[in-house]
Amino acid sequence: MKEPKEKLIITKKPKGEDGHRVFSVRLRDETVEKLDIIARKTNRTRNDLINTFLDYAISNAEIDTEK
C-alpha cells in the first residue's frame, strides 16, 4: 500500500469552541421528570429541550419595570 503524501492531523477541539458554555443548574425532580417525558415523546435530548425552552423564554420575556 502506498503512503499518502500528506498526513491528516486531527487535534483536540478546545472546550467552548462550539459557542456553548457548560454550567450546572438545580432543577426540581418534577421538572426533570416532565423534561424526560417530553424528550422521550419528541426523540430529543434533555439538553436540546432546555436550550429550546430557554431561547423561547428569553425571546418572549417582558420586563415589568413598574414593580
Coordinates of all heavy atoms in Angstrom, one line a residue:
M1 N 0.8 -1.2 0.0 CA 0.0 0.0 0.0 C 0.9 1.2 0.0 O 1.8 1.3 0.8 CB -0.9 0.0 1.2 CG -1.9 1.1 1.3 SD -3.1 0.8 2.6 CE -4.5 1.5 1.8
K2 N 0.5 2.2 -0.8 CA 1.3 3.4 -1.0 C 1.0 4.4 0.1 O -0.2 4.6 0.5 CB 1.0 4.0 -2.3 CG 1.9 5.1 -2.8 CD 1.6 5.4 -4.2 CE 2.5 6.5 -4.7 NZ 2.2 6.9 -6.1
E3 N 2.0 5.0 0.7 CA 1.9 6.0 1.8 C 1.3 7.3 1.2 O 1.7 7.7 0.1 CB 3.2 6.3 2.4 CG 3.7 5.2 3.3 CD 3.0 5.2 4.7 OE1 2.7 6.3 5.2 OE2 2.8 4.1 5.2
P4 N 0.4 8.0 1.9 CA -0.1 9.3 1.4 C 1.0 10.3 1.5 O 1.9 10.2 2.3 CB -1.3 9.6 2.3 CG -1.1 8.7 3.5 CD -0.3 7.5 3.1
K5 N 0.9 11.3 0.6 CA 1.9 12.4 0.6 C 1.8 13.2 1.9 O 2.8 13.6 2.4 CB 1.8 13.2 -0.6 CG 2.2 12.5 -1.9 CD 2.1 13.5 -3.1 CE 2.4 12.8 -4.4 NZ 2.4 13.7 -5.5
E6 N 0.6 13.5 2.3 CA 0.4 14.3 3.5 C -0.4 13.6 4.4 O -1.4 12.9 4.1 CB -0.2 15.7 3.1 CG 0.6 16.5 2.2 CD -0.1 17.8 1.9 OE1 -1.0 18.2 2.6 OE2 0.2 18.4 0.8
K7 N -0.1 13.8 5.7 CA -0.9 13.1 6.8 C -2.0 14.1 7.2 O -1.8 15.3 7.2 CB 0.0 12.8 8.0 CG 0.9 11.7 7.7 CD 1.7 11.3 9.0 CE 2.6 10.2 8.7 NZ 3.3 9.8 10.0
L8 N -3.1 13.5 7.5 CA -4.2 14.3 8.1 C -4.0 14.3 9.6 O -4.1 13.3 10.3 CB -5.6 13.6 7.8 CG -6.8 14.2 8.4 CD1 -7.0 15.7 8.0 CD2 -8.0 13.4 8.1
I9 N -3.8 15.5 10.2 CA -3.5 15.6 11.6 C -4.8 16.2 12.2 O -5.3 17.3 11.8 CB -2.3 16.5 11.9 CG1 -1.1 15.9 11.2 CG2 -2.1 16.7 13.4 CD1 0.1 16.7 11.3
I10 N -5.3 15.4 13.2 CA -6.6 15.9 13.9 C -6.2 16.2 15.3 O -5.6 15.4 16.0 CB -7.6 14.8 13.8 CG1 -7.9 14.4 12.4 CG2 -8.9 15.2 14.6 CD1 -8.8 13.2 12.2
T11 N -6.5 17.5 15.7 CA -6.2 17.9 17.0 C -7.5 17.9 17.9 O -8.6 17.9 17.3 CB -5.6 19.3 17.0 OG1 -6.5 20.2 16.4 CG2 -4.3 19.3 16.2
K12 N -7.3 18.0 19.2 CA -8.4 18.1 20.0 C -9.1 19.4 19.9 O -8.4 20.4 19.7 CB -8.0 17.9 21.5 CG -7.7 16.5 21.9 CD -7.4 16.4 23.4 CE -7.2 15.0 23.8 NZ -6.9 14.9 25.2
K13 N -10.4 19.4 19.9 CA -11.1 20.7 19.8 C -11.2 21.3 21.2 O -11.7 20.7 22.2 CB -12.5 20.4 19.3 CG -13.4 21.6 19.1 CD -14.7 21.2 18.5 CE -15.6 22.3 18.4 NZ -16.9 21.9 17.8
P14 N -10.7 22.5 21.4 CA -10.8 23.2 22.7 C -12.2 23.3 23.2 O -13.1 23.5 22.4 CB -10.1 24.5 22.5 CG -9.4 24.4 21.2 CD -10.1 23.4 20.4
K15 N -12.4 23.2 24.5 CA -13.8 23.4 25.0 C -14.3 24.8 24.7 O -13.5 25.8 24.7 CB -13.8 23.2 26.5 CG -13.6 21.7 26.9 CD -13.8 21.5 28.4 CE -13.6 20.1 28.7 NZ -13.8 19.9 30.2
G16 N -15.6 24.9 24.5 CA -16.2 26.3 24.3 C -16.1 26.7 22.8 O -16.7 27.7 22.5
E17 N -15.5 26.0 22.0 CA -15.3 26.4 20.6 C -16.6 26.2 19.8 O -16.7 26.7 18.7 CB -14.2 25.6 19.9 CG -12.8 26.0 20.3 CD -12.4 27.4 19.9 OE1 -12.6 27.7 18.7 OE2 -12.0 28.1 20.8
D18 N -17.6 25.6 20.3 CA -18.8 25.3 19.6 C -19.9 26.4 19.9 O -21.0 26.3 19.5 CB -19.4 24.0 19.9 CG -19.8 23.7 21.3 OD1 -19.5 24.6 22.2 OD2 -20.3 22.7 21.6
G19 N -19.5 27.4 20.7 CA -20.4 28.5 21.0 C -21.3 28.2 22.2 O -22.2 28.9 22.5
H20 N -21.0 27.1 22.9 CA -21.7 26.8 24.1 C -20.9 26.8 25.3 O -19.7 26.7 25.3 CB -22.3 25.3 24.0 CG -23.3 25.2 22.9 ND1 -23.0 25.0 21.6 CD2 -24.6 25.1 23.0 CE1 -24.1 24.9 20.9 NE2 -25.1 24.9 21.7
R21 N -21.5 27.1 26.5 CA -20.8 27.0 27.8 C -21.5 26.0 28.6 O -22.7 25.8 28.5 CB -20.9 28.4 28.4 CG -20.1 29.4 27.7 CD -20.1 30.8 28.4 NE -19.7 30.7 29.8 CZ -19.8 31.7 30.6 NH1 -20.3 32.9 30.2 NH2 -19.4 31.6 31.8
V22 N -20.7 25.4 29.5 CA -21.3 24.4 30.3 C -21.4 24.9 31.7 O -20.4 25.5 32.2 CB -20.4 23.1 30.3 CG1 -20.9 22.1 31.3 CG2 -20.3 22.5 28.9
F23 N -22.5 24.8 32.4 CA -22.7 25.1 33.8 C -23.8 24.3 34.3 O -24.6 23.7 33.6 CB -23.0 26.6 33.9 CG -24.2 27.1 33.3 CD1 -25.4 27.2 34.0 CD2 -24.2 27.5 32.0 CE1 -26.6 27.7 33.4 CE2 -25.4 27.9 31.4 CZ -26.5 28.0 32.1
S24 N -23.9 24.2 35.6 CA -24.9 23.4 36.2 C -26.0 24.2 36.8 O -25.8 25.4 37.2 CB -24.3 22.5 37.3 OG -23.8 23.3 38.4
V25 N -27.2 23.6 36.8 CA -28.4 24.3 37.5 C -29.1 23.2 38.3 O -28.9 22.0 38.1 CB -29.4 24.8 36.4 CG1 -28.8 25.9 35.6 CG2 -29.9 23.7 35.5
R26 N -29.8 23.7 39.3 CA -30.6 22.8 40.1 C -32.0 22.8 39.7 O -32.6 23.9 39.5 CB -30.5 23.2 41.6 CG -29.1 23.0 42.2 CD -29.0 23.7 43.5 NE -30.1 23.5 44.4 CZ -30.1 22.7 45.5 NH1 -29.0 22.1 45.9 NH2 -31.2 22.6 46.3
L27 N -32.6 21.7 39.4 CA -34.0 21.6 39.0 C -34.7 20.6 39.9 O -34.2 19.7 40.4 CB -34.1 21.0 37.6 CG -33.4 21.7 36.5 CD1 -33.4 21.0 35.2 CD2 -34.0 23.1 36.3
R28 N -36.0 21.0 40.1 CA -36.9 20.1 40.9 C -37.0 18.7 40.2 O -37.0 18.7 39.0 CB -38.2 20.7 41.1 CG -38.2 21.9 42.0 CD -39.6 22.4 42.3 NE -39.6 23.4 43.3 CZ -39.7 24.7 43.0 NH1 -39.7 25.1 41.7 NH2 -39.7 25.6 44.0
D29 N -37.2 17.7 41.0 CA -37.4 16.4 40.4 C -38.6 16.3 39.4 O -38.5 15.7 38.4 CB -37.6 15.3 41.5 CG -36.4 15.0 42.3 OD1 -35.3 15.2 41.8 OD2 -36.5 14.6 43.5
E30 N -39.6 17.0 39.8 CA -40.8 17.1 38.9 C -40.5 17.7 37.6 O -41.0 17.2 36.5 CB -42.0 17.8 39.6 CG -42.4 17.3 40.9 CD -41.6 17.9 42.1 OE1 -41.2 19.1 42.1 OE2 -41.3 17.1 43.0
T31 N -39.7 18.7 37.6 CA -39.3 19.4 36.3 C -38.5 18.4 35.4 O -38.7 18.3 34.2 CB -38.5 20.6 36.6 OG1 -39.3 21.5 37.4 CG2 -38.1 21.4 35.3
V32 N -37.5 17.7 36.1 CA -36.7 16.7 35.3 C -37.6 15.6 34.7 O -37.4 15.2 33.6 CB -35.6 16.2 36.2 CG1 -34.8 15.1 35.4 CG2 -34.7 17.3 36.7
E33 N -38.5 15.2 35.5 CA -39.5 14.1 35.0 C -40.3 14.6 33.8 O -40.4 13.9 32.9 CB -40.4 13.7 36.2 CG -39.7 12.9 37.3 CD -40.6 12.7 38.5 OE1 -41.8 13.0 38.4 OE2 -40.0 12.2 39.5
K34 N -40.7 15.8 33.9 CA -41.5 16.4 32.8 C -40.6 16.5 31.5 O -41.1 16.3 30.4 CB -42.1 17.7 33.2 CG -43.3 17.6 34.2 CD -43.7 19.0 34.6 CE -44.8 18.9 35.7 NZ -45.2 20.2 36.2
L35 N -39.4 17.0 31.7 CA -38.4 17.1 30.6 C -38.2 15.7 30.0 O -38.2 15.6 28.8 CB -37.1 17.7 31.1 CG -37.1 19.2 31.3 CD1 -35.8 19.6 32.0 CD2 -37.2 19.9 29.9
D36 N -38.0 14.7 30.8 CA -37.7 13.4 30.3 C -38.9 12.8 29.5 O -38.7 12.2 28.5 CB -37.4 12.5 31.5 CG -36.0 12.7 32.0 OD1 -35.2 13.4 31.3 OD2 -35.7 12.3 33.1
I37 N -40.1 13.1 30.0 CA -41.3 12.7 29.2 C -41.4 13.3 27.8 O -41.6 12.7 26.8 CB -42.6 13.0 30.0 CG1 -42.7 12.1 31.2 CG2 -43.8 12.8 29.1 CD1 -43.8 12.5 32.2
I38 N -41.1 14.6 27.8 CA -41.1 15.4 26.5 C -40.0 14.9 25.6 O -40.2 14.7 24.4 CB -41.1 16.9 26.7 CG1 -42.3 17.4 27.5 CG2 -40.9 17.6 25.4 CD1 -42.2 18.8 28.0
A39 N -38.8 14.6 26.2 CA -37.7 14.1 25.5 C -38.0 12.8 24.8 O -37.7 12.6 23.6 CB -36.5 14.0 26.4
R40 N -38.6 11.9 25.6 CA -39.0 10.6 25.0 C -40.0 10.7 23.9 O -39.8 10.1 22.8 CB -39.5 9.7 26.1 CG -38.5 9.0 26.9 CD -39.0 7.9 27.8 NE -40.1 8.3 28.7 CZ -39.9 8.8 29.9 NH1 -38.7 9.0 30.4 NH2 -40.9 9.2 30.7
K41 N -41.0 11.6 24.1 CA -42.0 11.8 23.1 C -41.5 12.4 21.8 O -42.0 12.2 20.7 CB -43.2 12.6 23.6 CG -44.0 11.8 24.6 CD -45.1 12.7 25.1 CE -46.0 12.0 26.1 NZ -47.2 12.8 26.6
T42 N -40.5 13.2 21.9 CA -40.0 14.0 20.8 C -38.7 13.5 20.2 O -38.2 14.1 19.2 CB -39.8 15.5 21.1 OG1 -38.9 15.6 22.2 CG2 -41.2 16.1 21.5
N43 N -38.1 12.5 20.9 CA -36.8 11.9 20.5 C -35.7 13.0 20.5 O -34.9 13.1 19.6 CB -36.9 11.3 19.1 CG -35.7 10.3 18.9 OD1 -35.2 9.8 19.8 ND2 -35.4 10.2 17.6
R44 N -35.8 13.9 21.5 CA -34.8 14.9 21.7 C -34.1 14.7 23.0 O -34.6 14.0 23.9 CB -35.4 16.3 21.6 CG -36.0 16.6 20.3 CD -36.5 18.1 20.3 NE -37.1 18.4 19.0 CZ -36.3 18.9 18.0 NH1 -35.1 19.1 18.1 NH2 -36.9 19.2 16.8
T45 N -32.9 15.3 23.1 CA -32.2 15.2 24.4 C -32.7 16.2 25.4 O -33.3 17.2 25.0 CB -30.7 15.5 24.2 OG1 -30.5 16.8 23.8 CG2 -30.1 14.5 23.2
R46 N -32.5 16.0 26.6 CA -32.9 16.9 27.7 C -32.2 18.3 27.4 O -32.8 19.3 27.6 CB -32.5 16.3 29.0 CG -33.1 17.1 30.2 CD -32.5 16.5 31.5 NE -32.9 15.2 31.8 CZ -32.3 14.4 32.7 NH1 -31.3 14.8 33.3 NH2 -32.7 13.2 32.9
N47 N -30.9 18.2 27.1 CA -30.2 19.4 26.8 C -30.8 20.2 25.7 O -30.9 21.5 25.8 CB -28.7 19.1 26.5 CG -27.9 20.3 26.3 OD1 -27.6 21.0 27.3 ND2 -27.4 20.5 25.1
D48 N -31.2 19.6 24.6 CA -31.8 20.2 23.5 C -33.1 20.9 23.9 O -33.3 22.1 23.5 CB -32.0 19.2 22.3 CG -32.5 19.9 21.1 OD1 -32.1 21.0 20.8 OD2 -33.4 19.2 20.4
L49 N -33.9 20.2 24.7 CA -35.1 20.8 25.1 C -34.9 22.0 26.0 O -35.6 23.1 25.8 CB -36.0 19.8 25.9 CG -36.6 18.7 25.1 CD1 -37.2 17.6 26.0 CD2 -37.6 19.2 24.1
I50 N -34.0 21.9 26.9 CA -33.7 23.1 27.8 C -33.2 24.3 27.0 O -33.7 25.4 27.3 CB -32.6 22.7 28.9 CG1 -33.3 21.6 29.9 CG2 -32.1 23.9 29.6 CD1 -32.2 21.0 30.8
N51 N -32.4 24.1 26.0 CA -32.0 25.2 25.2 C -33.1 25.8 24.4 O -33.2 27.0 24.3 CB -30.9 24.7 24.2 CG -29.5 24.8 24.8 OD1 -29.0 25.9 25.1 ND2 -28.9 23.6 25.1
T52 N -34.0 24.9 23.9 CA -35.2 25.4 23.1 C -36.1 26.2 24.0 O -36.5 27.3 23.7 CB -35.9 24.2 22.5 OG1 -35.1 23.5 21.6 CG2 -37.2 24.7 21.8
F53 N -36.4 25.7 25.2 CA -37.2 26.4 26.2 C -36.6 27.7 26.6 O -37.3 28.7 26.7 CB -37.6 25.5 27.4 CG -38.4 24.3 27.0 CD1 -38.3 23.1 27.8 CD2 -39.3 24.3 26.0 CE1 -39.1 22.0 27.5 CE2 -40.1 23.2 25.7 CZ -40.0 22.1 26.4
L54 N -35.3 27.7 26.9 CA -34.7 29.0 27.3 C -34.7 30.0 26.2 O -34.9 31.2 26.4 CB -33.2 28.7 27.8 CG -33.1 28.1 29.1 CD1 -31.6 27.7 29.4 CD2 -33.6 29.0 30.2
D55 N -34.4 29.6 25.0 CA -34.4 30.5 23.8 C -35.8 31.1 23.7 O -35.9 32.3 23.5 CB -34.0 29.8 22.5 CG -32.6 29.5 22.4 OD1 -31.8 30.1 23.2 OD2 -32.2 28.6 21.6
Y56 N -36.8 30.3 23.8 CA -38.2 30.8 23.7 C -38.5 31.8 24.8 O -39.1 32.9 24.6 CB -39.2 29.6 23.7 CG -40.6 30.1 23.6 CD1 -41.2 30.4 22.4 CD2 -41.4 30.3 24.8 CE1 -42.5 30.9 22.3 CE2 -42.7 30.8 24.7 CZ -43.3 31.0 23.5 OH -44.5 31.5 23.4
A57 N -38.2 31.4 26.0 CA -38.5 32.3 27.2 C -37.7 33.6 27.1 O -38.3 34.7 27.3 CB -38.1 31.6 28.5
I58 N -36.5 33.6 26.7 CA -35.7 34.8 26.5 C -36.3 35.7 25.4 O -36.4 36.9 25.6 CB -34.2 34.5 26.2 CG1 -33.6 33.9 27.5 CG2 -33.5 35.7 25.8 CD1 -32.2 33.3 27.3
S59 N -36.7 35.1 24.3 CA -37.3 35.9 23.2 C -38.6 36.4 23.5 O -39.0 37.5 23.0 CB -37.4 35.0 22.0 OG -36.2 34.6 21.5
N60 N -39.4 35.8 24.4 CA -40.7 36.2 24.8 C -40.9 36.9 26.1 O -42.0 37.2 26.5 CB -41.7 35.0 24.6 CG -41.8 34.6 23.2 OD1 -42.5 35.2 22.4 ND2 -41.1 33.5 22.8
A61 N -39.8 37.1 26.8 CA -39.8 37.7 28.1 C -40.1 39.2 28.1 O -39.7 39.9 27.1 CB -38.5 37.5 28.9
E62 N -40.9 39.6 29.0 CA -41.2 41.0 29.1 C -40.9 41.5 30.5 O -41.3 40.9 31.5 CB -42.7 41.2 28.9 CG -43.1 42.7 28.7 CD -44.6 42.8 28.2 OE1 -44.9 42.2 27.2 OE2 -45.3 43.5 28.9
I63 N -40.1 42.5 30.6 CA -39.7 43.0 31.9 C -40.6 44.1 32.4 O -40.8 45.1 31.7 CB -38.2 43.5 31.9 CG1 -37.3 42.4 31.4 CG2 -37.8 44.1 33.2 CD1 -35.9 42.8 31.1
D64 N -41.1 43.9 33.6 CA -42.0 44.8 34.2 C -41.2 45.8 35.1 O -40.8 45.4 36.1 CB -43.1 44.1 35.1 CG -44.2 45.0 35.6 OD1 -44.0 46.2 35.5 OD2 -45.1 44.5 36.3
T65 N -41.1 47.0 34.6 CA -40.3 48.0 35.4 C -41.1 48.7 36.4 O -40.6 49.6 37.1 CB -39.6 49.0 34.4 OG1 -40.6 49.6 33.6 CG2 -38.6 48.2 33.5
E66 N -42.4 48.4 36.5 CA -43.3 49.1 37.4 C -43.1 48.6 38.8 O -43.5 49.2 39.8 CB -44.7 49.0 36.9 CG -45.0 49.7 35.6 CD -44.8 51.2 35.6 OE1 -45.2 51.8 36.6 OE2 -44.2 51.7 34.6
K67 N -42.6 47.4 39.0 CA -42.6 46.8 40.3 C -41.2 46.9 40.9 O -40.2 46.9 40.3 CB -43.0 45.3 40.2 CG -44.5 45.2 39.9 CD -44.9 43.8 39.9 CE -46.4 43.7 39.5 NZ -46.9 42.4 39.6

